Amino acid sequence: VTFYQKLLGDDGVVDIAEALRGNKSCMGLSLQGTAMGDRGLTALAKVLNTTAITWLSISDNEVTADGIRSFAEALKNNTRLTELHLHDNPIGNEGAEAFADAFQYNFTLINLYFAQCKVTREDIRKDIKEYLKRNRNMEKQLWEDSWKSSEMRPWRRAKLMVVGQGRAGKSCTVRSLLGQEFDPNMESTIGAFLMKTESKQNGSDWQEQKEQQSFAARHAAGLYLEKLNMVRGKNKDDLAALSDGEREEVVKHATIEYYKKNRKKKVSGDAPGASA
C-alpha cells in the first residue's frame, strides 16, 4: 500500500495506523513524503507488531530521535520487518543510537537505509552495519540449514501451468489475472510462453516480476551449484560476488554439464561398449 507524497500529516498517519491494527494482508507500506512527524510514527510503532508488514518506507519526513525511540522499542520484539527506508529524516545520533540498541534484540531486519539523517558518529554507523551483516548471515544460515535438513519450511513459490486447446483463451486468462486489459486481436501463442509473477496480498494483486532475482533465488542457485559440486574452482565468496546475470550463466553451464555427465553414464551402462 502506498501513500507516496500524500500530505497526510500526523493525523492521517494515526488513522492509517489504527486501520492497520491486526491486519495480516498488508505486507508493504510506503509513507514516504507524507509530512509525518514523531506522533504519527509513534502511532505506527504501537501497531507494528500486530501487522504482517515486511517492507516499510518512512523516508523524506519530519521524524526526529523522539519518534525513532518509540519505533526502535517496537523493533525489539518484531520478527517480520526485513527492510526499512528511513533516509531524509533528522533523527541525528540519538536516533541512530536507539536503532543500534534495538539490534541487540532484533535479528530480522536485514536492510536499513538511513542516508541524510544527520548521523555524524561513524562508530554508530559501523555498529548498525555490523548488526545488519549479522542478521543477513543468520538468514543465509537459515536457508543452508533448511537445505541440509529434512524439516519442511515455507518456500512461498509455486509453478502454475495453464493448458488447453488452441484459441481457448489461456493467454487472455493470464493477462486478466495480471490486471491487464482484454485484447481481442491477441494472436495465439506458438509453443509455450514462460513468465515470472509475484503476489504479495493473498493472490489478489498478481504482477509480472522484474528481471532482478530475489535473495532466495540467488542463494538457491548457489546452494544448487554447491550440491552438484560443479562450481569449477569458485568458492562461496566468489559466488556471492557474482552479479545476477553471471550467476545465471554459471547455473546454466553447470546444469548442462550435469546432464551431459549423467547422460554418458546412462548410455555406457545400458549398452556396454557404446559411445555417447
Side-chain angles (χ1 to χ4, degrees):
V1 178
T2 178
F3 295 95
Y4 175 67
Q5 290 189 343
K6 304 292 185 183
L7 300 182
L8 304 172
D10 280 334
D11 289 340
V13 175
V14 169
D15 291 341
I16 290 172
E18 194 56 40
L20 286 172
R21 185 183 296 274
N23 184 292
K24 301 301 182 182
S25 297
C26 178
M27 300 180 68
L29 176 65
S30 175
L31 294 170
Q32 180 178 355
T34 54
M36 174 179 64
D38 294 334
R39 186 163 61 89
L41 184 59
T42 299
L44 186 62
K46 290 179 179 178
V47 304
L48 179 66
N49 294 339
T50 72
T51 72
I53 293 175
T54 61
W55 183 95
L56 176 64
S57 174
I58 55 175
S59 57
D60 194 18
N61 280 301
E62 301 166 8
V63 175
T64 70
D66 291 336
I68 288 299
R69 289 191 190 95
S70 299
F71 193 83
E73 196 64 32
L75 278 180
K76 292 180 180 180
N77 299 307
N78 186 275
T79 58
R80 290 183 178 273
L81 189 67
T82 60
E83 183 167 328
L84 175 63
H85 293 252
L86 182 64
H87 53 83
D88 292 288
N89 280 290
I91 68 171
N93 292 330
E94 292 184 10
E97 276 187 298
F99 262 111
D101 180 60
F103 271 119
Q104 297 182 45
Y105 307 91
N106 182 290
F107 301 92
T108 308
L109 190 65
I110 59 175
N111 291 310
L112 172 63
Y113 303 94
F114 60 105
Q116 306 300 322
C117 286
K118 297 185 178 181
V119 180
T120 58
R121 285 181 52 184
E122 288 300 321
D123 59 326
I124 302 177
R125 287 179 172 275
K126 183 178 179 181
D127 287 344
I128 291 177
K129 289 180 180 179
E130 287 298 319
Y131 281 128
L132 289 170
K133 182 179 179 181
R134 177 204 65 187
N135 287 2
R136 292 188 190 111
N137 289 337
M138 288 183 65
E139 184 186 34
K140 182 178 180 181
Q141 187 62 50
L142 176 64
W143 280 104
E144 291 179 348
D145 292 344
S146 300
W147 183 264
K148 297 173 183 177
S149 171
S150 60
E151 180 183 355
M152 300 295 291
R153 295 181 185 271
W155 183 239
R156 296 187 178 91
R157 281 158 179 76
K159 292 182 179 179
L160 175 64
M161 180 180 291
V162 182
V163 297
Q165 295 182 345
R167 306 301 299 174
K170 300 182 295 296
S171 297
C172 291
T173 299
V174 173
R175 285 176 58 87
S176 177
L177 289 171
L178 294 173
Q180 300 175 6
E181 294 183 0
F182 174 71
D183 182 2
N185 300 316
M186 189 171 184
E187 295 184 2
S188 182
T189 303
I190 300 176
F193 179 70
L194 302 178
M195 179 187 298
K196 291 182 180 180
T197 63
E198 59 183 353
S199 175
K200 297 183 179 179
Q201 208 169 29
N202 299 327
S204 62
D205 62 339
W206 279 18
Q207 294 181 356
E208 188 171 357
Q209 196 177 61
K210 303 298 182 183
E211 286 299 318
Q212 183 178 4
Q213 292 178 315
S214 65
F215 166 81
R218 293 195 304 271
H219 186 57
L223 290 173
Y224 173 70
L225 290 174
E226 291 175 30
K227 196 170 182 66
L228 290 181
N229 194 27
M230 300 184 67
V231 182
R232 296 187 177 278
K234 292 184 180 294
N235 58 34
K236 292 183 179 180
D237 292 333
D238 292 330
L239 289 173
L242 293 178
S243 67
D244 291 340
E246 291 171 333
R247 185 184 291 266
E248 196 169 299
E249 284 300 312
V250 175
V251 172
K252 181 179 178 181
H253 176 74
T255 304
I256 293 173
E257 291 297 320
Y258 172 76
Y259 281 110
K260 281 183 179 179
K261 181 179 178 181
N262 281 273
R263 181 175 177 274
K264 287 180 180 179
K265 286 183 178 179
K266 184 175 180 181
V267 171
S268 61
D270 291 344
S275 60

